[in-house]
Structure formats: structure tokens, C-alpha cells
Amino acid sequence: MVDVVNAATRSRMMSAIKGVDTRPEMYVRQYLHAAGLRYRLHDRVLPGRPDLVFPGSRVALFVHGCFWHRHPMCKYATTPASNISFWSRKFAANVERDKFVREQLSNMGWTVLTIWECETEDPERLDDLFWKIVSNN
């Protein structure tokens, strides 16, 4: 399929994608805060700068975008039709970095949790996430 915008417009659109305070991240933050949990945001001391950090229970939470982090079997984890080799390398590097960061945090004694973008609007999934954090104490 041919892209419907030119390369300059596509580049501008892609560069506008945020890395923090995304809609999925805000859903998770609002839910967990309303449930009474307190956390730190994007702790630079920890590898990978987890999106939410619960120091008391030593839980690091990542809110991963399905597209960028390649959520398995997800309809949002598509690959652009143009420049496939570039995207394949980029996605593979993202997945490898995620694995490395998880291993580093685990070796430091942290429990690492991930919630995917497509799961953030599901109250049952958010409730399950809450109980995983709480039960880690």
C-alpha cells in the first residue's frame, strides 16, 4: 500500500509522537492513583526509565505501545509497508532493549510489569495490574 502523505509530512507526523504522558500511560496513572497507589514517574536512576515506579514494593511498570514494542498477536502491532528493512531493524532493537532492561531491573531485585496500550482501557486488566502491584509488598 502506498503512503497517502509525502515523506516530509510523514516524518513530521512521526516526530510528533510523544514518549511520556501518552494517553495509555495517563489511563493507567489515573486508575492506579484513584485506587490509592502512589508512584514515581520515569525514574532516571533505574535502567530504562520505567513509566511508573513503586519504590515501596520494588515494582517497575512499563506502559508499552503495541506498535513500537511489538505486542504479540495484537492488531496494532503492524509493520509499515514502505522501508520494511528499516522498520524491522528498529522494532527488533526495541524488543531487544526491552528484554535487556527487564533483565537489568530483575537482577537489581525489582519486579517488572508491563501493560500494553491495547489493555489500558480494560478495567479488569487495570484491576489485575493493581493487585499484582499490591501483592508484591
Side-chain angles (χ1 to χ4, degrees):
M1 176 181 216
V2 176
D3 202 352
V4 294
V5 296
N6 63 28
T9 303
R10 175 65 58 206
S11 178
R12 183 178 45 78
M13 291 166 61
M14 295 302 277
S15 68
I17 296 173
K18 300 188 304 180
V20 296
D21 299 336
T22 62
R23 184 176 296 141
E25 184 181 323
M26 296 305 289
Y27 284 141
V28 173
R29 285 165 48 179
Q30 289 168 357
Y31 181 89
L32 295 177
H33 191 273
L37 295 180
R38 300 302 178 255
Y39 44 81
R40 284 194 225 151
L41 297 175
H42 314 288
D43 191 340
R44 292 176 186 266
V45 174
L46 294 175
R49 290 183 55 206
D51 296 308
L52 284 80
V53 177
F54 302 87
S57 53
R58 295 191 59 83
V59 172
L61 174 65
F62 290 95
V63 182
H64 279 335
C66 298
F67 176 77
W68 295 106
H69 297 273
R70 311 315 291 166
H71 186 194
M73 306 300 291
C74 180
K75 66 180 180 178
Y76 300 116
T78 59
T79 302
S82 61
N83 207 356
I84 293 173
S85 64
F86 165 80
W87 287 108
S88 297
R89 287 191 311 272
K90 174 133 183 90
F91 294 145
N94 287 352
V95 170
E96 190 62 32
R97 184 183 62 244
D98 292 343
K99 180 181 172 189
F100 179 70
V101 166
R102 289 181 70 88
E103 289 172 0
Q104 282 186 304
L105 287 167
S106 293
N107 291 340
M108 294 170 65
W110 288 82
T111 299
V112 182
L113 300 176
T114 300
I115 185 166
W116 293 95
E117 172 186 12
C118 65
E119 299 171 335
T120 59
E121 294 185 46
D122 179 1
E124 289 181 19
R125 180 65 181 107
L126 292 171
D127 194 46
D128 181 47
L129 181 65
F130 168 82
W131 286 109
K132 284 181 181 177
I133 295 166
V134 171
S135 67
N136 202 56
N137 271 338

